[in-house]
């Protein structure tokens, strides 16, 4: 090892040795020249990219238009029109590098001629912007492909679109239309990648899909497009085998408020019911549960109208492969007489199987709500007066049910109780216990519909850790009724935006962690053989770089034997190649003697003559 990289730790012991008299004590202390800080300072400074980190080079300007594309700026001055997007579909919310993300944007109808187009996207971590030309266009549908090389990663936002159609130039940002589509490259992101933006009175009937070769194919309906994509590239409904995905939708939000009666706010109570329901449903094996809005109650799609927000929520359900969409609400009326629960479910038009499944799910939930003593008003269908499905049949009036059917998802609306009825309010809506009972009934109904079974119990109570000289020891406080529990530990570097697996799935509920200096999230995940899952995350600030080589000596241990004095260095290290040197100083003669030169063993046998000595041990990595 080069001298510049050597890390030395030295400790000195002063001993008085009398021949023929038992050895008494060895006193040890630091020599004052080496400290943990000095150990770090003694090592060369090196900087290497963290695992998975990369530097992304921006694309060259000349790549923004293909050879076949027509430049978007004509020679003469042209008035630019705002973009009008009918739908936007991404191939996947997660791209492995190297890999390709394909995006289809619908901007016109059959017969419309798109002469050229470019799409701009931005890396949200680095703020670098990239522009790609269209690959091809057909019937108002534009296909774009974005290639990512090995080593690239990050969260990308589709930012803006520019295209020339029928001789008219259009340009604008997707956010102006309420579309915020993100995808991750070597990174999981929460996104709404498959949003379909439609008008309330008109639903487009010419939809496209993209196969693995980028071939654009026209479909007659959104449902056909969904089936096509599922069969070819899996844009929609990526599902784990045997796993049920349920999306719970707490109706309304802080922007689009619900009913307000008897001092109660519907949007707040809906959120409480949804959270309790998620907690109860996750006690079952084989189910993944999502909420459409966060715990702060805010609108998941800021700046959108109420109907646009609802479409976004269903699009999210589609992106996670939902098997059911359950919108949770409370009822109200102009007088206080009506009471009890009712569920709206899809009609039998367009896709009869969605209506059948929705009706069965409604029956199970109403059965469980009725067991609480609620008046059961039954399941109901509400048809639209004028709106039609793409096949010309009468559409469902409620946006989430209608969009759910178009996505192939049984969507229902559960109206749990009346906020205008004193009995319902006092028994179910004014206490956490009452709200939780409604939520548990919902969960039991969903579980009964899908045939789910309860997990064996698993609970994490917290993460505890101890900072050592060269690492951090972290462990879990947990409890499980299962005898087979596995754990995984991950860390997230908040500055770099990178997740790292510290310890993959094993039976170890503790780790030795060596982070660099910085701020982290430390996350522990647990799972049982029966399917129970739990996790815990803490925030940790590392004030030193634990990845550097170090060695620290805290004392000398010594004992007298027939063959001499056996001495050992009490130390900590993180380098298996650490070596030690032992020396003695004869105080009477004023001379140093090496009794053991650099060796990997921290032990030495010393046979001193009668006299006074310093016993010194040194260590280096």
């Amino acid at each position: 090892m080069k001298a510049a990289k050597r890390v030395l730790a030295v400790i000195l012991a002063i001993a008085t040795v009398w021949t023929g008299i038992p050895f008494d004590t060895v006193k040890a202390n630091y020599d004052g020249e080496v400290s943990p800080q000095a150990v770090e300072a003694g090592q060369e400074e090196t900087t290497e990219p963290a695992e998975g980190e990369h530097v992304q080079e921006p694309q060259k300007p000349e790549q923004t238009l293909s050879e076949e594309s027509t430049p978007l700026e004509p020679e003469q001055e042209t008035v630019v029109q705002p973009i009008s997007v009918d739908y936007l579909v991404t191939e996947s919310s997660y791209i492995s590098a190297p890999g390709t993300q394909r995006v289809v944007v619908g901007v016109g109808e059959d017969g419309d001629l798109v002469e050229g187009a470019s799409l701009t996207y931005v890396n949200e971590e680095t703020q670098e912007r990239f522009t790609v030309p269209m690959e091809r266009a057909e019937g108002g549908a534009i296909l774009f492909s974005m290639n990512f090389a090995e080593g690239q990663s990050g969260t990308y936002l589709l930012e803006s679109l520019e295209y020339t159609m029928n001789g008219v130039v259009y340009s604008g940002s997707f956010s102006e239309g309420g579309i915020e589509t993100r995808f991750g490259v070597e990174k999981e992101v929460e996104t709404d990648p498959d949003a379909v933006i439609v008008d309330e009175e008109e639903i487009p009937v010419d939809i496209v899909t993209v196969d693995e070769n980028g071939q654009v194919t026209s479909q007659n309906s959104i449902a056909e497009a969904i089936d096509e994509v599922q069969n070819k590239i899996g844009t929609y409904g990526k599902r784990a085998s045997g796993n049920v995905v349920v999306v719970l939708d707490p109706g309304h939000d802080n922007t689009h408020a619900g009913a307000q009666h008897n001092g109660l706010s519907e949007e707040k109570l809906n959120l409480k019911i949804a959270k309790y329901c998620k907690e109860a449903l996750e006690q079952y094996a084989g189910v993944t549960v999502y909420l459409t809005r966060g715990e702060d109650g805010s609108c998941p799609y800021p700046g959108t109208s109420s109907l646009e927000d609802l479409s976004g929520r269903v699009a999210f359900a589609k992106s996670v492969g939902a098997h059911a969409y359950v919108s949770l609400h409370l009822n109200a009326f102009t007088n206080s007489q009506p009471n009890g629960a009712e569920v709206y479910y899809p009609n039998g038009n367009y896709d009869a199987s969605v209506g059948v499944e929705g009706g069965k799910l409604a029956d199970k939930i109403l059965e469980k709500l009725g067991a609480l003593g609620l008046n059961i008003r039954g399941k109901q269908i509400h048809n639209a007066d004028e709106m039609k499905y793409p096949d010309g049949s009468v559409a469902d009036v409620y946006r989430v049910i209608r969009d759910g059917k178009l996505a192939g998802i049984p969507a229902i609306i559960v109206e749990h109780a009346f906020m205008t009825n004193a009995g319902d309010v006092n028994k179910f809506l004014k206490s956490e216990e009452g709200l939780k009972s409604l939520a548990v009934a919902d969960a039991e109904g969903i579980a009964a519909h899908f045939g789910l079974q309860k997990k064996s119990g698993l609970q994490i109570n917290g993460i505890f850790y101890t900072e050592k000289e060269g690492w951090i020891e972290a462990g879990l406080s947990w409890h499980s009724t299962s005898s087979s529990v596995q754990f995984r530990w991950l860390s997230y570097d908040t500055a770099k935006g990178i997740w790292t697996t510290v310890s993959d799935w094993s039976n170890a509920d503790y780790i030795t962690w060596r982070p660099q200096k910085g701020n982290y999230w430390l996350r522990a995940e647990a799972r049982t053989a029966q399917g129970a899952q739990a996790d815990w995350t803490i925030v940790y600030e590392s004030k030193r770089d634990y990845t550097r080589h170090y060695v620290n000596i805290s004392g000398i241990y010594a004992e007298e034997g027939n063959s001499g004095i056996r001495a050992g260095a009490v130390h900590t290290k993180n380098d298996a190649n650490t070596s030690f040197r032992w020396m003695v100083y004869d105080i009477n003669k004023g001379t140093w003697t090496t009794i053991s030169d650099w060796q990997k063993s921290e032990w030495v046998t010393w046979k001193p003559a009668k006299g006074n000595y310093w016993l010194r041990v040194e260590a280096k990595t």
Side-chain angles (χ1 to χ4, degrees):
M1 187 175 293
K2 295 181 180 179
K5 291 189 176 180
R6 289 178 178 172
V7 181
L8 295 178
V10 180
I11 195 161
L12 192 66
I14 302 174
T16 301
V17 181
W18 300 92
T19 302
I21 298 179
F23 188 85
D24 188 11
T25 59
V26 175
K27 298 181 180 179
N29 60 282
Y30 287 103
D31 65 2
E33 296 178 356
V34 179
S35 65
Q37 290 77 17
V39 169
E40 292 187 9
Q43 196 170 12
E44 286 184 348
E45 194 75 35
T46 59
T47 302
E48 296 180 0
E51 184 176 352
E53 191 176 6
H54 74 284
V55 178
Q56 180 167 313
E57 296 293 335
Q59 295 184 15
K60 297 179 181 179
E62 60 266 27
Q63 294 177 328
T64 58
L65 289 175
S66 64
E67 293 180 0
E68 296 81 13
S69 300
T70 302
L72 294 180
E73 292 188 8
E75 295 179 358
Q76 298 181 356
E77 184 177 354
T78 303
V79 177
V80 178
Q81 300 294 326
I83 63 175
S84 176
V85 177
D86 296 320
Y87 55 87
L88 187 154
V89 180
T90 60
E91 182 173 353
S92 178
S93 63
Y94 180 89
I95 301 297
S96 298
T100 300
Q101 172 69 290
R102 295 186 179 93
V103 177
V104 174
V105 184
V107 297
E109 302 176 352
D110 283 340
D112 285 330
L113 176 62
V114 177
E115 301 152 10
S118 62
L119 182 146
T120 299
Y121 58 103
V122 58
N123 184 314
E124 292 192 307
E125 282 85 2
T126 66
Q127 293 303 305
E128 292 177 285
R129 283 172 171 76
F130 310 90
T131 301
V132 293
M134 74 177 192
E135 189 166 310
R136 64 173 64 91
E138 180 179 327
I142 311 172
L143 170 66
F144 298 93
S145 294
M146 290 161 277
N147 297 317
F148 296 91
E150 187 173 357
Q152 289 185 269
S153 66
T155 300
Y156 292 84
L157 171 71
L158 300 186
E159 187 176 61
S160 62
L161 176 70
E162 187 171 345
Y163 59 94
T164 300
M165 185 171 66
N166 302 327
V168 180
V169 178
Y170 299 83
S171 181
S173 66
F174 291 112
S175 62
E176 292 173 354
I179 303 174
E180 290 190 5
T181 300
R182 291 176 173 83
F183 62 91
V185 177
E186 295 294 342
K187 185 175 182 181
E188 298 286 351
V189 297
E190 292 186 3
T191 185
D192 179 22
D194 304 316
V196 179
I197 310 300
V198 299
D199 294 331
E200 180 68 13
E201 298 297 329
E202 182 178 356
I203 300 175
V205 296
D206 183 35
I207 309 300
V208 300
T209 58
V210 191
D211 65 16
E212 63 274 10
N213 299 314
Q215 180 63 43
V216 179
T217 304
S218 179
Q219 262 69 38
N220 294 322
S221 70
I222 293 177
E224 289 183 15
I226 293 171
D227 291 339
E228 183 74 17
V229 175
Q230 282 178 330
N231 291 334
K232 291 188 176 181
I233 61 174
T235 300
Y236 306 100
K238 291 185 177 179
R239 299 167 181 172
S241 177
N243 187 64
V244 174
V245 179
V246 177
V247 171
L248 301 176
D249 172 36
H252 307 285
D253 53 61
N254 294 348
T255 302
H256 311 108
Q260 312 290 316
H261 296 281
N262 292 311
L264 302 174
S265 299
E266 184 190 358
E267 65 275 8
K268 295 180 180 179
L269 298 185
N270 291 342
L271 182 57
K272 287 187 175 183
I273 293 172
K275 289 166 64 179
Y276 282 134
C277 183
K278 182 176 186 291
E279 180 183 5
L281 198 51
E282 288 177 338
Q283 301 306 308
Y284 292 84
V287 63
T288 301
V289 188
Y290 296 92
L291 298 183
T292 60
R293 60 185 174 107
E295 294 192 10
D296 62 355
S298 61
C299 174
Y301 304 99
T304 62
S305 67
S306 177
L307 292 176
E308 290 170 337
D309 173 45
L310 295 176
S311 286
R313 298 187 190 200
V314 177
F316 166 75
K318 180 170 58 181
S319 75
V320 298
H323 292 72
Y325 181 98
V326 183
S327 191
L328 306 173
H329 286 259
L330 295 171
N331 227 330
F333 198 62
T334 54
N335 65 60
S336 60
Q337 296 306 311
N339 68 310
E342 59 190 12
V343 177
Y344 290 92
Y345 71 105
N347 65 26
N349 296 334
Y350 187 63
D351 186 342
S353 64
V354 171
V356 171
E357 286 303 304
K360 291 179 179 179
L361 177 57
D363 286 337
K364 292 296 184 181
I365 291 178
L366 287 172
E367 177 185 336
K368 300 300 180 179
L369 290 173
L372 300 177
L374 274 164
N375 173 42
I376 299 303
R377 298 166 59 88
K379 61 181 182 181
Q380 302 185 33
I381 292 172
H382 194 170
N383 290 325
D385 293 331
E386 298 181 3
M387 284 182 295
K388 307 293 183 183
Y389 281 119
D391 63 357
S393 61
V394 175
D396 293 278
V397 72
Y398 292 121
R399 174 65 70 99
V400 296
I401 293 179
R402 186 172 69 252
D403 281 8
K405 182 178 289 184
L406 292 172
I409 305 170
I412 64 173
I413 300 173
V414 181
E415 299 280 0
H416 291 91
F418 278 78
M419 299 175 67
T420 47
N421 178 267
D424 284 356
V425 169
N426 292 330
K427 187 173 183 180
F428 296 103
L429 307 183
K430 274 197 169 181
S431 68
E432 296 297 316
E433 181 181 357
L435 294 170
K436 189 171 184 178
S437 68
L438 298 174
V440 171
D442 292 338
E444 290 176 347
I446 295 169
H449 174 70
F450 287 108
L452 302 176
Q453 301 296 320
K454 281 283 185 76
K455 301 175 182 177
S456 65
L458 175 64
Q459 181 177 345
I460 295 179
N461 302 313
I463 293 175
F464 59 89
Y465 63 89
T466 303
E467 295 174 333
K468 301 291 186 178
E469 287 294 334
W471 61 83
I472 296 166
E473 291 181 353
L476 276 180
S477 171
W478 59 279
H479 170 75
S480 177
T481 58
S482 172
S483 59
S484 177
V485 184
Q486 287 192 319
F487 305 89
R488 179 171 68 171
W489 292 81
L490 305 102
S491 67
Y492 179 76
D493 188 322
T494 60
K496 296 178 180 178
I498 296 174
W499 280 101
T500 302
T501 300
V502 181
S503 175
D504 213 345
W505 293 108
S506 71
N507 295 327
D509 59 359
Y510 60 91
I511 56 166
T512 297
W513 181 35
R514 295 185 176 91
Q516 295 179 330
K517 186 176 181 180
N519 295 303
Y520 296 85
W521 298 343
L522 181 60
R523 176 182 176 88
E525 300 175 344
R527 67 186 183 189
T528 68
Q530 293 75 27
Q533 299 179 11
D535 59 76
W536 196 279
T537 303
I538 63 170
V539 177
Y540 177 76
E541 180 184 2
S542 177
K543 297 182 179 179
R544 55 171 294 187
D545 186 351
Y546 287 94
T547 63
R548 293 179 179 272
H549 290 301
Y550 89 97
V551 61
N552 180 52
I553 300 176
S554 57
I556 290 178
Y557 168 80
E559 61 181 13
E560 188 181 56
N562 295 330
S563 58
I565 297 172
R566 180 71 166 164
V570 181
H571 69 287
T572 55
K573 62 182 180 181
N574 68 350
D575 186 348
N577 293 318
T578 300
S579 56
F580 301 85
R581 179 170 67 177
W582 291 86
M583 304 175 70
V584 294
Y585 181 76
D586 188 320
I587 298 175
N588 297 326
K589 297 179 180 179
T591 57
W592 280 100
T593 302
T594 299
I595 58 175
S596 176
D597 212 347
W598 294 109
Q599 302 288 336
K600 287 189 176 181
S601 173
E602 68 270 30
W603 292 94
V604 68
T605 299
W606 176 36
K607 298 179 179 180
K610 180 178 178 181
N612 297 308
Y613 299 87
W614 296 342
L615 178 60
R616 174 186 174 94
V617 61
E618 301 172 348
K620 67 179 182 181
T621 63

